[in-house]
Amino acid sequence: RFGIARRFPIGPVLAITPFNFPLNLVLHKVAPAIAVGNTVVLKPAPQTPLTSRLLAEVMAEAGLPAGALNVVHCDVALAEKLVRDERVAMVTFTGSAKVGWHIKNIAGKKKVALELGGNGAVIVAPDADVAFAAARCVRGGVVYGGQYCIGVQRIYVHRDVYERFEQELLARLRACRTGNPLEEGVDVGPVINEEAAKRIESWIQEAVAGGARVLAGGKRHGAVIEPTVLTNTRPDMKVECEEIFGPVMTLTRVDDLDEAVRLAAASRYGLQGGFFTNDLRRAFRALEEWDVGGLMINDVPIYRIDNMPFGGWKDSGFGREGTRYAMESMTDIKFLVVNYG
């Protein structure tokens, strides 16, 4: 007997996307689905509706058959109807954990892929390049206004290098300019709207009321949150245990790296993490205890290229994006056996 395994398209894919990367995160779903022969119903975020319309126009001009990509702007009630529709073979969603798990609950028998964000942790070991680690943490914590599911939120620094790291981090953070991101030299722009900024501000204030201390930033100006570092935080504070989705980081001193890994891993999220160390043996061991979809050694969690397997553990969802991995999830196997004996 001779066997052949072939992958076939599964059928219409419903893609529900967030506002923070209105082209890239859309393409992470649309491109693999189209590549393997599925059609797509795309529901973009209501805050960023135009990019998806322009993408559909470009793809139509390039020769994509009519009906292969359908952009639907709709309210929550209609979106839920789409999720439940038996004609949809798969739902792929990027967004909040609350919405994602609700989608899974109502999706029925269809395939579901969820990318639900996180509260990215970074560990800095005594042998790390402290200045480089601080520079990358600032970049990872404030880029795109902190509206990044793999942004730096929690930093655990070994006591031997804590003081030096804190000085480097704060100096670089205070040098960041806030304002209109279209202006030259501005590092941190507004979050998506003032309502989101007020929520972030309230989480900072709640942490301070609970004993946390502001080392830098902490204030809101309209929809702009100053790049912020908090210390003396606790794991049960929202700034640590939830996804803040803003330019806010917590800084914690640890006595040893085993403690740092335990603290980093003690989260209901598990998307990506960062570990600054030159001890590869320790780095490999960390991945055994730290349940994250990706661990970046000598870098921060924001590192991502489009062909990497990308997705999380625990409340960060399940399934993987990244071109070939998404293509596999959007197909299924038929196995052919030929008896030639």
Side-chain angles (χ1 to χ4, degrees), residues 4 59 67 87 107 174 176 228 231 274 322:
I4 302 172
M59 294 184 77
R87 294 170 294 179
R174 287 168 178 150
C176 290
T228 300
T231 191

PDB file of all heavy atoms in Angstrom, residues 4 59 67 87 107 174 176 228 231 274 322:
ATOM      1  N   ILE A   4      -0.896   8.788   0.624  1.00  0.00           N
ATOM      2  CA  ILE A   4      -0.644  10.201   0.334  1.00  0.00           C
ATOM      3  C   ILE A   4      -1.554  11.039   1.220  1.00  0.00           C
ATOM      4  O   ILE A   4      -2.782  10.874   1.219  1.00  0.00           O
ATOM      5  CB  ILE A   4      -0.944  10.541  -1.143  1.00  0.00           C
ATOM      6  CG1 ILE A   4      -0.103   9.683  -2.093  1.00  0.00           C
ATOM      7  CG2 ILE A   4      -0.687  12.030  -1.406  1.00  0.00           C
ATOM      8  CD1 ILE A   4      -0.496   9.854  -3.545  1.00  0.00           C
ATOM      9  N   MET A  59      -6.848  43.942  -3.505  1.00  0.00           N
ATOM     10  CA  MET A  59      -6.871  42.523  -3.860  1.00  0.00           C
ATOM     11  C   MET A  59      -7.787  42.262  -5.046  1.00  0.00           C
ATOM     12  O   MET A  59      -7.500  41.406  -5.900  1.00  0.00           O
ATOM     13  CB  MET A  59      -7.261  41.690  -2.647  1.00  0.00           C
ATOM     14  CG  MET A  59      -6.222  41.747  -1.532  1.00  0.00           C
ATOM     15  SD  MET A  59      -6.568  40.694  -0.110  1.00  0.00           S
ATOM     16  CE  MET A  59      -6.115  39.089  -0.754  1.00  0.00           C
ATOM     17  N   GLY A  67     -16.161  37.868  -4.237  1.00  0.00           N
ATOM     18  CA  GLY A  67     -16.705  37.022  -3.189  1.00  0.00           C
ATOM     19  C   GLY A  67     -15.675  36.261  -2.387  1.00  0.00           C
ATOM     20  O   GLY A  67     -16.003  35.664  -1.358  1.00  0.00           O
ATOM     21  N   ARG A  87     -22.432  27.842   8.128  1.00  0.00           N
ATOM     22  CA  ARG A  87     -21.702  27.885   6.870  1.00  0.00           C
ATOM     23  C   ARG A  87     -20.247  28.298   7.064  1.00  0.00           C
ATOM     24  O   ARG A  87     -19.404  28.056   6.189  1.00  0.00           O
ATOM     25  CB  ARG A  87     -22.398  28.835   5.890  1.00  0.00           C
ATOM     26  CG  ARG A  87     -23.771  28.365   5.442  1.00  0.00           C
ATOM     27  CD  ARG A  87     -24.484  29.457   4.672  1.00  0.00           C
ATOM     28  NE  ARG A  87     -24.786  30.613   5.521  1.00  0.00           N
ATOM     29  CZ  ARG A  87     -25.394  31.720   5.079  1.00  0.00           C
ATOM     30  NH1 ARG A  87     -25.737  31.820   3.799  1.00  0.00           N
ATOM     31  NH2 ARG A  87     -25.642  32.712   5.914  1.00  0.00           N
ATOM     32  N   ALA A 107     -19.307  29.247  19.197  1.00  0.00           N
ATOM     33  CA  ALA A 107     -18.914  28.891  17.827  1.00  0.00           C
ATOM     34  C   ALA A 107     -19.396  27.512  17.397  1.00  0.00           C
ATOM     35  O   ALA A 107     -19.329  27.183  16.210  1.00  0.00           O
ATOM     36  CB  ALA A 107     -17.406  28.976  17.678  1.00  0.00           C
ATOM     37  N   ARG A 174      12.510  58.775  30.413  1.00  0.00           N
ATOM     38  CA  ARG A 174      12.258  60.216  30.544  1.00  0.00           C
ATOM     39  C   ARG A 174      12.676  60.984  29.299  1.00  0.00           C
ATOM     40  O   ARG A 174      12.233  62.118  29.089  1.00  0.00           O
ATOM     41  CB  ARG A 174      12.988  60.740  31.782  1.00  0.00           C
ATOM     42  CG  ARG A 174      12.328  60.293  33.090  1.00  0.00           C
ATOM     43  CD  ARG A 174      13.190  60.561  34.297  1.00  0.00           C
ATOM     44  NE  ARG A 174      12.515  60.160  35.536  1.00  0.00           N
ATOM     45  CZ  ARG A 174      13.145  59.733  36.628  1.00  0.00           C
ATOM     46  NH1 ARG A 174      14.478  59.664  36.641  1.00  0.00           N
ATOM     47  NH2 ARG A 174      12.460  59.386  37.696  1.00  0.00           N
ATOM     48  N   CYS A 176      11.892  60.005  26.364  1.00  0.00           N
ATOM     49  CA  CYS A 176      10.849  59.791  25.360  1.00  0.00           C
ATOM     50  C   CYS A 176       9.960  61.031  25.246  1.00  0.00           C
ATOM     51  O   CYS A 176       9.537  61.594  26.262  1.00  0.00           O
ATOM     52  CB  CYS A 176       9.987  58.585  25.727  1.00  0.00           C
ATOM     53  SG  CYS A 176      10.810  56.999  25.576  1.00  0.00           S
ATOM     54  N   THR A 228       5.262  55.256  31.749  1.00  0.00           N
ATOM     55  CA  THR A 228       5.159  55.091  33.191  1.00  0.00           C
ATOM     56  C   THR A 228       5.890  53.850  33.672  1.00  0.00           C
ATOM     57  O   THR A 228       5.817  52.794  33.038  1.00  0.00           O
ATOM     58  CB  THR A 228       3.675  54.999  33.605  1.00  0.00           C
ATOM     59  OG1 THR A 228       3.009  56.204  33.218  1.00  0.00           O
ATOM     60  CG2 THR A 228       3.524  54.794  35.105  1.00  0.00           C
ATOM     61  N   THR A 231       6.798  50.711  40.751  1.00  0.00           N
ATOM     62  CA  THR A 231       7.474  49.710  41.567  1.00  0.00           C
ATOM     63  C   THR A 231       6.635  49.465  42.819  1.00  0.00           C
ATOM     64  O   THR A 231       5.639  50.151  43.056  1.00  0.00           O
ATOM     65  CB  THR A 231       8.902  50.144  41.913  1.00  0.00           C
ATOM     66  OG1 THR A 231       9.604  49.041  42.492  1.00  0.00           O
ATOM     67  CG2 THR A 231       8.911  51.322  42.872  1.00  0.00           C
ATOM     68  N   GLY A 274      10.503  37.710  27.573  1.00  0.00           N
ATOM     69  CA  GLY A 274      11.884  38.058  27.252  1.00  0.00           C
ATOM     70  C   GLY A 274      12.810  37.709  28.397  1.00  0.00           C
ATOM     71  O   GLY A 274      12.416  37.811  29.566  1.00  0.00           O
ATOM     72  N   GLY A 322       1.283  33.055  11.886  1.00  0.00           N
ATOM     73  CA  GLY A 322       2.541  32.868  11.186  1.00  0.00           C
ATOM     74  C   GLY A 322       2.190  32.069   9.943  1.00  0.00           C
ATOM     75  O   GLY A 322       1.443  31.078  10.010  1.00  0.00           O
TER      76      GLY A 322
END
